[in-house]
Amino acid sequence: MTTIKFPRNINEFADQLIDNLAAHSYALQPNFLSQEESNAVLKHIQALQDEDELKKAGIGKQLKFDVRENLRGDFIRWISKSDEPVIVQSFLQRMDFLMQLLNRTCFLSLKDFEAHYTFYPTNTRYIKHRDRFQHNAHRLISVVCYLASDWKVADGGQLIIYNEGEAHEILPAQGTLVCFRSELEHEVLLTNRERYSITGWMLDQPAKLTFL
Protein backbone atom coordinates (compact mmCIF):
# COMPACT_ATOMS: atom_id res chain seq x y z
CA MET A 1 0.00 0.00 0.00
CA THR A 2 1.26 3.48 -0.90
CA THR A 3 1.88 5.82 2.02
CA ILE A 4 1.45 9.57 1.63
CA LYS A 5 4.44 11.23 3.25
CA PHE A 6 4.79 14.87 4.18
CA PRO A 7 6.66 16.62 1.36
CA ARG A 8 10.03 18.05 2.34
CA ASN A 9 8.77 21.56 1.61
CA ILE A 10 5.50 21.20 3.59
CA ASN A 11 6.40 24.28 5.63
CA GLU A 12 6.91 26.31 2.46
CA PHE A 13 3.58 25.03 1.09
CA ALA A 14 1.86 25.96 4.34
CA ASP A 15 3.41 29.42 4.54
CA GLN A 16 2.33 30.25 0.98
CA LEU A 17 -1.20 28.95 1.57
CA ILE A 18 -1.62 30.90 4.79
CA ASP A 19 -0.23 34.13 3.31
CA ASN A 20 -2.59 33.94 0.31
CA LEU A 21 -5.54 32.88 2.44
CA ALA A 22 -5.00 35.86 4.74
CA ALA A 23 -4.53 38.31 1.86
CA HIS A 24 -7.16 37.07 -0.61
CA SER A 25 -9.49 34.75 1.39
CA TYR A 26 -8.49 31.84 -0.87
CA ALA A 27 -5.31 30.03 -1.86
CA LEU A 28 -4.23 27.12 -4.01
CA GLN A 29 -1.18 24.89 -4.03
CA PRO A 30 -0.41 22.82 -7.16
CA ASN A 31 1.22 19.43 -6.57
CA PHE A 32 0.17 19.28 -2.91
CA LEU A 33 -0.27 15.57 -3.66
CA SER A 34 2.07 13.92 -6.13
CA GLN A 35 0.73 12.01 -9.13
CA GLU A 36 1.41 8.73 -7.35
CA GLU A 37 -0.36 9.89 -4.19
CA SER A 38 -3.35 11.27 -6.09
CA ASN A 39 -3.71 8.06 -8.10
CA ALA A 40 -3.64 5.99 -4.91
CA VAL A 41 -6.47 8.00 -3.33
CA LEU A 42 -8.41 7.97 -6.62
CA LYS A 43 -8.12 4.19 -6.82
CA HIS A 44 -9.52 3.90 -3.29
CA ILE A 45 -12.52 6.10 -4.13
CA GLN A 46 -13.24 4.15 -7.30
CA ALA A 47 -13.17 0.91 -5.29
CA LEU A 48 -15.75 2.42 -2.92
CA GLN A 49 -17.77 3.46 -5.95
CA ASP A 50 -17.73 -0.12 -7.29
CA GLU A 51 -19.06 -1.25 -3.89
CA ASP A 52 -21.90 1.31 -4.08
CA GLU A 53 -20.50 3.18 -1.06
CA LEU A 54 -20.92 6.65 -2.60
CA LYS A 55 -24.36 8.18 -2.06
CA LYS A 56 -26.19 11.11 -3.65
CA ALA A 57 -25.25 14.35 -1.93
CA GLY A 58 -27.78 16.84 -0.64
CA ILE A 59 -28.15 20.48 0.37
CA GLY A 60 -27.90 21.65 3.98
CA LYS A 61 -27.33 19.77 7.22
CA GLN A 62 -29.35 18.01 9.92
CA LEU A 63 -33.11 18.71 9.67
CA LYS A 64 -32.56 21.08 6.75
CA PHE A 65 -30.85 18.40 4.63
CA ASP A 66 -32.44 17.89 1.22
CA VAL A 67 -31.43 16.11 -2.00
CA ARG A 68 -31.95 18.34 -5.06
CA GLU A 69 -30.34 16.96 -8.19
CA ASN A 70 -30.95 20.15 -10.18
CA LEU A 71 -28.77 22.07 -7.70
CA ARG A 72 -26.06 19.56 -6.85
CA GLY A 73 -25.02 16.51 -8.87
CA ASP A 74 -22.22 14.91 -6.86
CA PHE A 75 -21.97 11.64 -4.92
CA ILE A 76 -20.10 11.44 -1.63
CA ARG A 77 -18.93 9.24 1.22
CA TRP A 78 -17.91 10.76 4.53
CA ILE A 79 -14.39 9.97 5.69
CA SER A 80 -13.96 8.21 9.01
CA LYS A 81 -10.74 9.23 10.74
CA SER A 82 -10.39 5.83 12.38
CA ASP A 83 -11.29 3.59 9.43
CA GLU A 84 -9.49 4.72 6.27
CA PRO A 85 -6.40 3.54 4.36
CA VAL A 86 -2.99 4.84 5.37
CA ILE A 87 -2.91 7.09 2.31
CA VAL A 88 -6.01 8.94 3.50
CA GLN A 89 -4.94 8.99 7.15
CA SER A 90 -1.76 10.74 6.05
CA PHE A 91 -3.73 13.34 4.10
CA LEU A 92 -5.77 14.02 7.25
CA GLN A 93 -2.52 14.51 9.17
CA ARG A 94 -1.52 17.19 6.69
CA MET A 95 -4.82 18.95 7.30
CA ASP A 96 -4.21 18.83 11.05
CA PHE A 97 -0.78 20.36 10.44
CA LEU A 98 -2.32 23.20 8.42
CA MET A 99 -4.97 23.81 11.09
CA GLN A 100 -2.32 24.13 13.78
CA LEU A 101 -0.43 26.69 11.70
CA LEU A 102 -3.62 28.63 10.95
CA ASN A 103 -4.44 28.74 14.64
CA ARG A 104 -1.00 30.10 15.48
CA THR A 105 -0.81 32.65 12.66
CA CYS A 106 -4.44 33.69 12.02
CA PHE A 107 -5.99 33.09 15.46
CA LEU A 108 -8.92 31.06 14.08
CA SER A 109 -9.34 28.60 16.99
CA LEU A 110 -9.86 25.67 14.62
CA LYS A 111 -10.72 22.48 16.47
CA ASP A 112 -11.56 19.76 13.95
CA PHE A 113 -11.65 18.73 10.30
CA GLU A 114 -14.47 16.88 8.51
CA ALA A 115 -14.24 15.60 4.94
CA HIS A 116 -15.78 13.36 2.33
CA TYR A 117 -14.82 11.78 -0.97
CA THR A 118 -16.55 13.54 -3.85
CA PHE A 119 -17.48 12.22 -7.28
CA TYR A 120 -19.17 14.28 -10.00
CA PRO A 121 -20.49 12.18 -12.90
CA THR A 122 -20.28 13.62 -16.41
CA ASN A 123 -22.77 16.44 -17.06
CA THR A 124 -23.25 17.44 -13.39
CA ARG A 125 -22.49 20.60 -11.41
CA TYR A 126 -23.05 22.38 -8.09
CA ILE A 127 -24.75 25.78 -8.30
CA LYS A 128 -23.49 28.88 -6.47
CA HIS A 129 -23.62 28.41 -2.70
CA ARG A 130 -21.80 28.94 0.60
CA ASP A 131 -20.40 26.16 2.78
CA ARG A 132 -21.05 28.00 6.02
CA PHE A 133 -24.66 27.35 7.04
CA GLN A 134 -26.68 30.17 8.61
CA HIS A 135 -28.12 27.83 11.27
CA ASN A 136 -24.84 25.95 11.86
CA ALA A 137 -21.94 28.31 11.21
CA HIS A 138 -19.02 26.14 12.32
CA ARG A 139 -17.27 25.72 8.97
CA LEU A 140 -14.54 28.35 8.71
CA ILE A 141 -12.15 27.08 6.00
CA SER A 142 -13.17 24.95 3.01
CA VAL A 143 -10.62 22.59 1.44
CA VAL A 144 -10.64 20.70 -1.88
CA CYS A 145 -7.91 18.39 -3.20
CA TYR A 146 -8.34 17.22 -6.81
CA LEU A 147 -7.48 13.71 -7.96
CA ALA A 148 -8.37 13.11 -11.64
CA SER A 149 -5.39 13.25 -14.00
CA ASP A 150 -4.72 15.22 -17.21
CA TRP A 151 -7.53 17.72 -16.64
CA LYS A 152 -8.05 20.24 -19.45
CA VAL A 153 -10.13 23.42 -19.68
CA ALA A 154 -12.47 21.67 -22.14
CA ASP A 155 -13.22 19.06 -19.45
CA GLY A 156 -15.15 21.69 -17.47
CA GLY A 157 -15.79 21.22 -13.76
CA GLN A 158 -13.92 24.38 -12.77
CA LEU A 159 -14.34 25.75 -9.26
CA ILE A 160 -15.42 29.42 -9.33
CA ILE A 161 -14.83 31.40 -6.13
CA TYR A 162 -16.56 34.80 -5.82
CA ASN A 163 -14.83 37.41 -3.68
CA GLU A 164 -15.08 41.21 -3.58
CA GLY A 165 -16.84 41.42 -6.94
CA GLU A 166 -14.38 39.14 -8.73
CA ALA A 167 -14.76 35.55 -9.97
CA HIS A 168 -11.68 33.35 -9.60
CA GLU A 169 -11.65 30.24 -11.82
CA ILE A 170 -9.67 27.19 -10.66
CA LEU A 171 -9.04 24.16 -12.85
CA PRO A 172 -9.42 20.86 -10.92
CA ALA A 173 -5.90 19.74 -11.80
CA GLN A 174 -4.61 16.55 -10.19
CA GLY A 175 -2.88 17.08 -6.84
CA THR A 176 -3.94 20.73 -6.47
CA LEU A 177 -5.14 21.82 -3.02
CA VAL A 178 -7.55 24.77 -2.73
CA CYS A 179 -8.40 26.50 0.57
CA PHE A 180 -10.92 29.33 0.97
CA ARG A 181 -13.05 30.95 3.63
CA SER A 182 -16.29 29.01 3.90
CA GLU A 183 -18.51 32.11 3.80
CA LEU A 184 -17.44 32.85 0.19
CA GLU A 185 -19.91 32.03 -2.55
CA HIS A 186 -18.60 29.45 -5.02
CA GLU A 187 -19.82 26.94 -7.59
CA VAL A 188 -18.68 23.94 -9.62
CA LEU A 189 -19.25 24.36 -13.35
CA LEU A 190 -20.74 21.60 -15.49
CA THR A 191 -18.20 18.82 -15.84
CA ASN A 192 -17.63 17.01 -19.13
CA ARG A 193 -15.86 14.03 -17.55
CA GLU A 194 -15.86 12.23 -14.21
CA ARG A 195 -14.42 14.48 -11.49
CA TYR A 196 -12.98 13.21 -8.19
CA SER A 197 -11.72 15.00 -5.09
CA ILE A 198 -11.47 15.06 -1.33
CA THR A 199 -13.63 17.89 0.02
CA GLY A 200 -13.39 19.06 3.61
CA TRP A 201 -13.93 21.80 6.16
CA MET A 202 -11.94 23.14 9.11
CA LEU A 203 -14.31 23.70 12.02
CA ASP A 204 -14.42 25.88 15.14
CA GLN A 205 -16.06 23.00 17.05
CA PRO A 206 -15.45 19.23 17.23
CA ALA A 207 -17.26 17.69 14.24
CA LYS A 208 -19.64 15.65 16.41
CA LEU A 209 -20.90 18.82 18.12
CA THR A 210 -21.87 20.47 14.81
CA PHE A 211 -24.71 17.95 14.47
CA LEU A 212 -26.30 18.93 17.81
Side-chain angles (χ1 to χ4, degrees):
M1 178 180 293
T2 302
T3 301
I4 297 178
K5 300 178 181 179
F6 274 39
R8 293 180 180 178
N9 54 344
I10 183 69
N11 287 298
E12 181 182 346
F13 280 2
D15 288 344
Q16 291 174 350
L17 281 169
I18 290 169
D19 287 348
N20 286 323
L21 190 59
H24 308 295
S25 296
Y26 84 99
L28 67 149
Q29 177 59 57
N31 303 312
F32 188 78
L33 293 184
S34 69
Q35 183 179 27
E36 179 184 6
E37 293 167 343
S38 298
N39 287 340
V41 181
L42 176 59
K43 184 176 180 181
H44 173 62
I45 299 176
Q46 290 173 331
L48 292 173
Q49 189 176 357
D50 291 341
E51 296 168 2
D52 199 29
E53 290 288 327
L54 275 61
K55 305 302 180 184
K56 190 71 185 67
I59 304 294
K61 200 169 186 179
Q62 298 150 276
L63 296 178
K64 296 184 181 292
F65 180 82
D66 186 23
V67 173
R68 298 167 126 187
E69 294 188 11
N70 61 318
L71 303 182
R72 178 179 183 179
D74 57 324
F75 289 75
I76 68 170
R77 202 208 75 171
W78 287 95
I79 293 174
S80 170
K81 292 183 179 180
S82 60
D83 188 27
E84 299 293 343
V86 172
I87 54 172
V88 179
Q89 294 282 358
S90 298
F91 175 82
L92 296 176
Q93 290 174 7
R94 291 189 190 184
M95 295 301 102
D96 287 341
F97 178 78
L98 286 176
M99 284 198 302
Q100 292 170 19
L101 286 181
L102 282 165
N103 284 339
R104 290 202 299 268
T105 58
C106 299
F107 310 104
L108 292 181
S109 298
L110 298 167
K111 294 182 173 62
D112 208 351
F113 180 72
E114 63 179 2
H116 58 59
Y117 305 117
T118 308
F119 163 62
Y120 281 87
T122 300
N123 202 36
T124 59
R125 62 173 187 158
Y126 195 162
I127 67 164
K128 187 187 293 186
H129 66 285
R130 291 183 174 90
D131 288 345
R132 193 171 189 182
F133 303 122
Q134 289 183 348
H135 65 283
N136 193 328
H138 298 297
R139 292 175 173 176
L140 299 188
I141 304 295
S142 299
V143 175
V144 188
C145 189
Y146 299 110
L147 303 170
S149 63
D150 300 319
W151 204 277
K152 301 176 178 60
V153 173
D155 294 328
Q158 291 90 339
L159 172 67
I160 309 295
I161 298 175
Y162 298 92
N163 186 30
E164 298 181 350
E166 296 184 353
H168 305 277
E169 181 174 314
I170 298 169
L171 192 72
Q174 187 180 52
T176 295
L177 181 78
V178 183
C179 301
F180 58 94
R181 294 190 179 274
S182 297
E183 69 266 21
L184 294 183
E185 285 191 311
H186 57 284
E187 66 178 310
V188 175
L189 300 185
L190 196 71
T191 182
N192 300 318
R193 57 177 283 200
E194 294 182 342
R195 181 184 186 273
Y196 293 87
S197 66
I198 293 177
T199 306
W201 299 270
M202 297 178 183
L203 311 168
D204 66 357
Q205 292 288 338
K208 63 181 180 181
L209 296 182
T210 67
F211 286 89
L212 299 179

